[in-house]
Amino acid sequence: LADRGVRIELADLPLRLASDRQDWLTYFRHQLRVALTYRITNPLGYFGSLLVITLPIFIVVILSGAPSSKLLLLPLILFRGFTNHHILQRLDAQPPIWKTLMITPICLATESATWLCSWFLTSIHWGAQHYEVTRKGKLKRLSVVRPSYAGSR
């Protein structure tokens, strides 16, 4: 757009997005689409995101098997939960802190799972369609998927 002479300005305040309610499978597929697009368009940068997501901590805790190692998860969950809660408050959402803290482990597990899955996939499902994600992040339609498989309603 800027190359075409269109003026681009950044907003002073965050934009609040509203979307339809999603079940967990729909949410996971959305997260996976985003992760796969980032991974394909910028593999080295996406690999570096491993440093800021929780996958390494989950792996260490799971592999160690020591009960005391699970204490490593508590500070992570609390930090991410309070951070998420602060972000939600800045966006004028007012969930009780206990709800944010309860959902945080699920968010962390989803984040780690989508990061890991994105390295083994090259295509995604969106609605009733099956797409390949190209190197430039564009979607190339592959086939039609049955609605029950694609998570469509």
Side-chain angles (χ1 to χ4, degrees):
L1 290 175
D3 292 341
R4 294 181 187 167
V6 175
R7 184 175 173 187
I8 298 175
E9 293 185 32
L10 298 178
D12 293 334
L13 299 171
L15 175 66
R16 186 174 187 167
L17 299 175
S19 66
D20 295 334
R21 287 190 163 272
Q22 299 177 355
D23 59 16
W24 188 85
L25 181 60
T26 304
Y27 169 74
F28 183 80
R29 285 185 173 156
H30 168 74
Q31 294 299 101
L32 192 53
R33 279 194 302 272
V34 172
L36 185 62
T37 301
Y38 288 158
R39 196 265 307 160
I40 287 176
T41 57
N42 185 1
L44 189 57
Y46 188 68
F47 182 77
S49 70
L50 178 64
L51 299 174
V52 295
I53 67 168
T54 58
L55 186 62
I57 296 171
F58 279 116
I59 290 172
V60 167
V61 169
I62 290 168
L63 293 179
S64 72
S68 60
S69 67
K70 295 188 183 26
L71 291 176
L72 292 173
L73 291 177
L74 184 60
L76 169 71
I77 291 169
L78 290 174
F79 176 76
R80 285 292 298 274
F82 283 111
T83 301
N84 290 347
H85 189 70
H86 176 72
I87 291 168
L88 289 170
Q89 286 180 322
R90 299 268 311 190
L91 296 172
D92 290 330
Q94 300 296 325
I97 186 68
W98 65 269
K99 283 187 177 180
T100 306
L101 291 173
M102 284 183 61
I103 198 80
T104 296
I106 296 167
C107 295
L108 296 173
T110 301
E111 177 183 84
S112 298
T114 56
W115 186 92
L116 190 60
C117 288
S118 73
W119 291 99
F120 299 100
L121 301 173
T122 58
S123 63
I124 58 164
H125 296 239
W126 196 344
Q129 304 295 324
H130 189 193
Y131 296 93
E132 177 184 0
V133 181
T134 68
R135 291 283 299 148
K136 293 186 177 183
K138 297 193 184 249
L139 300 179
K140 177 182 171 190
R141 188 169 156 182
L142 296 176
S143 64
V144 176
V145 180
R146 288 179 283 143
S148 61
Y149 182 69
S152 299
R153 293 174 210 210

Coordinates of all heavy atoms in Angstrom, one line a residue, residues 42-72:
N42 N 9.0 -17.7 7.2 CA 10.2 -17.2 7.8 C 10.7 -18.3 8.8 O 10.6 -18.2 10.0 CB 10.0 -15.9 8.6 CG 11.2 -15.4 9.2 OD1 12.3 -15.9 9.0 ND2 11.1 -14.3 10.0
P43 N 11.2 -19.4 8.2 CA 11.6 -20.6 9.0 C 12.6 -20.3 10.1 O 12.5 -20.8 11.2 CB 12.1 -21.6 8.0 CG 12.0 -21.1 6.7 CD 11.5 -19.7 6.8
L44 N 13.6 -19.6 9.8 CA 14.7 -19.3 10.8 C 14.1 -18.4 11.9 O 14.3 -18.7 13.1 CB 15.9 -18.6 10.2 CG 17.1 -18.5 11.0 CD1 17.6 -19.8 11.6 CD2 18.2 -17.8 10.3
G45 N 13.4 -17.4 11.6 CA 12.8 -16.6 12.6 C 11.8 -17.3 13.5 O 11.7 -17.2 14.7
Y46 N 11.0 -18.2 12.8 CA 10.0 -19.0 13.5 C 10.7 -20.0 14.5 O 10.3 -20.2 15.6 CB 9.1 -19.7 12.6 CG 7.9 -20.3 13.2 CD1 6.9 -19.6 13.9 CD2 7.8 -21.7 13.3 CE1 5.9 -20.2 14.5 CE2 6.8 -22.3 14.0 CZ 5.8 -21.6 14.5 OH 4.8 -22.2 15.2
F47 N 11.8 -20.6 14.0 CA 12.5 -21.5 14.9 C 13.0 -20.7 16.1 O 13.0 -21.2 17.2 CB 13.7 -22.1 14.2 CG 14.5 -23.1 15.0 CD1 14.0 -24.4 15.3 CD2 15.7 -22.7 15.6 CE1 14.6 -25.3 16.1 CE2 16.3 -23.6 16.4 CZ 15.8 -24.9 16.7
G48 N 13.4 -19.5 15.9 CA 13.9 -18.7 17.1 C 12.8 -18.4 18.1 O 13.1 -18.1 19.2
S49 N 11.5 -18.4 17.6 CA 10.4 -18.2 18.5 C 10.4 -19.2 19.6 O 9.7 -19.1 20.6 CB 9.1 -18.1 17.8 OG 8.7 -19.3 17.3
L50 N 11.1 -20.3 19.4 CA 11.1 -21.4 20.4 C 11.6 -20.8 21.7 O 11.3 -21.3 22.8 CB 12.0 -22.5 19.9 CG 12.3 -23.7 20.9 CD1 11.0 -24.4 21.1 CD2 13.3 -24.6 20.3
L51 N 12.5 -19.8 21.7 CA 13.0 -19.2 22.9 C 12.0 -18.5 23.7 O 12.2 -18.3 24.9 CB 14.1 -18.2 22.5 CG 15.3 -18.9 21.8 CD1 16.3 -17.8 21.4 CD2 16.0 -19.9 22.6
V52 N 10.9 -18.1 23.1 CA 9.9 -17.3 23.8 C 8.6 -18.1 24.1 O 7.7 -17.6 24.8 CB 9.5 -16.0 23.1 CG1 10.7 -15.1 23.1 CG2 8.9 -16.2 21.8
I53 N 8.5 -19.3 23.5 CA 7.3 -20.1 23.9 C 7.7 -21.1 24.9 O 8.9 -21.2 25.3 CB 6.7 -20.8 22.6 CG1 7.6 -21.8 22.0 CG2 6.3 -19.8 21.6 CD1 6.9 -22.7 21.0
T54 N 6.8 -21.9 25.4 CA 7.0 -22.7 26.5 C 7.4 -24.2 26.2 O 7.7 -24.9 27.1 CB 5.7 -22.8 27.4 OG1 4.7 -23.3 26.5 CG2 5.4 -21.4 27.9
L55 N 7.6 -24.5 25.0 CA 7.9 -25.9 24.6 C 9.1 -26.4 25.3 O 9.1 -27.5 25.9 CB 8.0 -26.0 23.1 CG 8.2 -27.4 22.6 CD1 7.0 -28.3 22.9 CD2 8.5 -27.4 21.1
P56 N 10.2 -25.7 25.4 CA 11.4 -26.2 26.1 C 11.1 -26.6 27.5 O 11.6 -27.6 28.0 CB 12.5 -25.1 25.9 CG 12.0 -24.3 24.8 CD 10.5 -24.4 24.8
I57 N 10.4 -25.7 28.2 CA 10.1 -25.9 29.6 C 9.2 -27.2 29.8 O 9.5 -28.0 30.6 CB 9.4 -24.7 30.3 CG1 10.4 -23.5 30.2 CG2 9.0 -25.0 31.7 CD1 9.9 -22.2 30.6
F58 N 8.2 -27.3 28.9 CA 7.4 -28.5 29.0 C 8.2 -29.8 28.8 O 8.0 -30.8 29.5 CB 6.2 -28.4 28.0 CG 5.0 -27.6 28.5 CD1 4.7 -26.5 27.8 CD2 4.3 -28.0 29.6 CE1 3.6 -25.7 28.3 CE2 3.2 -27.2 30.0 CZ 2.9 -26.1 29.4
I59 N 9.1 -29.8 27.8 CA 9.9 -30.9 27.5 C 10.8 -31.3 28.7 O 10.9 -32.4 29.1 CB 10.7 -30.7 26.2 CG1 9.8 -30.7 25.0 CG2 11.8 -31.8 26.1 CD1 10.4 -30.3 23.7
V60 N 11.4 -30.3 29.3 CA 12.3 -30.5 30.4 C 11.5 -31.1 31.6 O 11.9 -32.1 32.2 CB 13.0 -29.2 30.9 CG1 13.6 -29.4 32.2 CG2 14.0 -28.8 29.8
V61 N 10.3 -30.6 31.9 CA 9.5 -31.1 33.0 C 9.0 -32.5 32.7 O 9.1 -33.4 33.6 CB 8.3 -30.1 33.2 CG1 7.3 -30.8 34.2 CG2 8.8 -28.8 33.8
I62 N 8.6 -32.8 31.5 CA 8.1 -34.1 31.2 C 9.2 -35.1 31.2 O 9.0 -36.2 31.7 CB 7.4 -34.1 29.8 CG1 6.1 -33.3 29.9 CG2 7.1 -35.5 29.3 CD1 5.4 -33.0 28.6
L63 N 10.3 -34.8 30.6 CA 11.4 -35.8 30.5 C 12.1 -36.0 31.9 O 12.6 -37.1 32.1 CB 12.5 -35.3 29.5 CG 12.0 -35.3 28.1 CD1 13.2 -34.8 27.1 CD2 11.6 -36.7 27.7
S64 N 12.1 -35.0 32.7 CA 12.8 -35.1 34.0 C 12.1 -36.1 34.9 O 12.7 -36.9 35.7 CB 13.0 -33.8 34.7 OG 11.7 -33.4 35.2
G65 N 10.8 -36.1 34.9 CA 10.0 -37.0 35.7 C 10.1 -36.7 37.2 O 9.4 -37.3 38.0
A66 N 11.0 -35.8 37.6 CA 11.1 -35.5 39.1 C 9.9 -34.6 39.5 O 9.6 -33.7 38.9 CB 12.4 -34.8 39.3
P67 N 9.3 -35.0 40.6 CA 8.2 -34.2 41.1 C 8.6 -32.7 41.4 O 7.8 -31.8 41.1 CB 7.8 -34.9 42.4 CG 8.4 -36.3 42.4 CD 9.6 -36.2 41.5
S68 N 9.8 -32.5 41.8 CA 10.2 -31.1 42.1 C 10.3 -30.3 40.8 O 10.2 -29.1 40.8 CB 11.5 -31.1 42.9 OG 12.5 -31.7 42.1
S69 N 10.5 -30.9 39.7 CA 10.7 -30.2 38.4 C 9.3 -29.5 38.0 O 9.3 -28.5 37.3 CB 11.1 -31.1 37.3 OG 10.2 -32.1 37.0
K70 N 8.3 -30.1 38.5 CA 6.9 -29.5 38.2 C 6.8 -28.1 38.8 O 5.9 -27.4 38.4 CB 5.8 -30.5 38.6 CG 6.0 -31.7 37.7 CD 4.9 -32.7 37.8 CE 5.1 -33.9 37.0 NZ 6.4 -34.4 36.7
L71 N 7.6 -27.8 39.8 CA 7.5 -26.5 40.4 C 8.0 -25.4 39.4 O 7.7 -24.3 39.6 CB 8.4 -26.5 41.7 CG 7.9 -27.3 42.9 CD1 8.8 -27.2 44.0 CD2 6.5 -26.7 43.3
L72 N 8.8 -25.8 38.4 CA 9.2 -24.9 37.4 C 8.0 -24.3 36.6 O 8.0 -23.2 36.1 CB 10.1 -25.6 36.4 CG 11.5 -26.0 36.9 CD1 12.2 -26.8 35.8 CD2 12.3 -24.8 37.2

